[in-house]
Amino acid sequence: MSTSSMSGAPGKTSVSGRAGASEGAVPSGKAGAPRRAGALPSAPEMSVGMAFAGMRRVVDVMFKAACPDCRAGFELRASALRLAIGASSRTTFYSFTCPECGSAVRKPAGERIVELLTGGGVRTLRLHSTL
């Protein structure tokens, strides 16, 4: 790296270190040729199929739950649960339908439960007051 930018010579600029460098800058193939940020020199067009080729299926998160009516214990996928987050602990809960007896189950959700359910991909509904 030179220090010609410090000398005041017209037309000469340089960047020393990373302070002046743009994080997303990509050098172009030709001097002075404009290029889109992030574009690769000879990147062919890519289809959706090509983009996802070789990706593995993500493992579904399973949650252990129990029904207070029939006392059955079971595991549920994230898609079988719903989380409602309200303004207080009284209005924050998760719900599901018992696969054994068909009862609609609603249980309170503290901070840790909310964290686990949202991290596991459970759909969340935020409740707002109408005041």
Side-chain angles (χ1 to χ4, degrees):
M1 295 276 161
S2 71
T3 58
S4 61
S5 62
M6 297 290 190
S7 67
K12 292 186 177 184
T13 58
S14 68
V15 177
S16 60
R18 294 185 54 115
S22 164
E23 291 267 335
V26 176
S28 63
K30 295 181 183 177
R35 180 192 262 163
R36 292 183 319 182
L40 297 176
S42 59
E45 291 294 320
M46 183 179 294
S47 70
V48 173
M50 289 171 49
F52 290 102
M55 291 183 73
R56 291 184 239 155
R57 186 169 184 264
V58 177
V59 177
D60 288 334
V61 176
M62 300 296 284
F63 294 95
K64 289 186 178 186
C67 176
D69 292 341
C70 69
R71 300 193 184 274
F74 40 82
E75 290 187 346
L76 296 171
R77 295 176 189 259
S79 60
L81 295 157
R82 296 292 179 263
L83 173 64
I85 300 176
S88 68
S89 60
R90 189 173 275 180
T91 58
T92 301
F93 60 91
Y94 65 99
S95 62
F96 59 90
T97 300
C98 175
E100 298 294 321
C101 69
S103 293
V105 179
R106 179 176 162 166
K107 294 188 174 186
E111 289 181 33
R112 180 72 176 140
I113 298 294
V114 169
E115 183 180 325
L116 291 171
L117 293 177
T118 55
V122 173
R123 286 189 217 164
T124 304
L125 172 66
R126 298 203 180 267
L127 305 175
H128 298 283
S129 64
T130 56
L131 295 177

